[in-house]
Amino acid sequence: MSERSSTEGPDGDYEAAAEYYDLASIERAEVLDAVIGRWAADLPTGPVVDVGAGSGRLTTTLARSVPSVPVYAIEPDPALRALLTARLVADVDLLARVDVIPDGIPGAWGMVPDRLAGAIVLGVLPHLPPDGRTDLLARLAERLEPRGTALVEVMPPWSADPIPQQEFVSAAAGSQRVVGEMRADPEGDDILRWKMTYRRLDSAGAPLHETTSSFRCWVVHPDRFETEADAAGFVVSWITDQVAQLAPR
């Protein structure tokens, strides 16, 4: 007989849902793998940074796309850093080249080189208020080499409208299945309060575990982001409808 357990994490804390983090973004990660590989081929040689490395799924793609150079992975959340570190331990080369920065921005910049060949900022903007985006763009403008570029993901939704409860992932995990549901409610101008619920089901569909997390996120439309990046001194090229490449002007 299945036993059901339930957990709920503090606001903005990934611990409760860390086990589901990668399962919930398999298709997105595969698309970004290809984007990172193409982008990295044109970078000058030099250190690169992953701002908001999360579980390290895309950090490993970045590091393997720029062999033999130092990689800096900024990740403030301890549960996600544990996943990131486990990935690095499984690969001798990555463990030798990737520095994990256990801090968020802006504090983490003090542990990153002054000059960078490239940066990826994927899945991060929703966690930054407008002044945080301004600071991020200013830091990138200061540190990128003249031929260096940054990849920045501008994730939907692009307006703070309510999103009703809906399933967003259903993924097989052995004989089990993980199902994720989400909803979002406006909480002021350009702010959404997300509630994410994950359920692990056995082979018969009976619940084994349920966890819920809540996050406060800012929305930014691609047009607004392009204006902000232009003001920071970047030329913006859209690689996809959600991923912009920033090049110093």
Side-chain angles (χ1 to χ4, degrees), residues 31-183:
V31 170
L32 291 174
D33 280 342
V35 170
I36 291 170
R38 292 192 298 269
W39 163 79
D42 294 326
L43 289 180
T45 300
V48 296
V49 63
D50 182 356
V51 180
S55 70
R57 170 66 177 79
L58 297 173
T59 311
T60 58
T61 300
L62 172 64
R64 289 166 181 156
S65 299
V66 287
S68 303
V69 304
V71 178
Y72 295 82
I74 296 172
E75 180 47 59
D77 187 88
L80 296 183
R81 278 203 314 275
L83 299 177
L84 166 60
T85 301
R87 275 199 163 94
L88 300 179
V89 168
D91 187 307
V92 174
D93 172 61
L94 297 185
L95 186 61
R97 285 196 295 124
V98 179
D99 279 14
V100 176
I101 309 300
D103 198 355
I105 52 175
W109 291 114
M111 292 174 272
V112 173
D114 290 338
R115 302 303 290 170
L116 297 167
I120 61 173
V121 186
L122 306 173
V124 173
L125 287 195
H127 302 287
L128 299 179
D131 60 345
R133 294 196 305 270
T134 299
D135 181 78
L136 169 68
L137 290 166
R139 305 270 184 168
L140 291 175
E142 290 171 358
R143 292 170 185 258
L144 282 174
E145 299 283 0
R147 294 195 304 111
T149 58
L151 283 184
V152 182
E153 185 178 19
V154 185
M155 301 178 74
W158 295 325
S159 61
D161 301 316
I163 297 174
Q165 185 85 5
Q166 58 190 266
E167 183 176 291
F168 71 96
V169 64
S170 179
S175 64
Q176 302 172 359
R177 179 159 291 277
V178 171
V179 175
E181 294 184 345
M182 65 181 183
R183 66 169 295 160

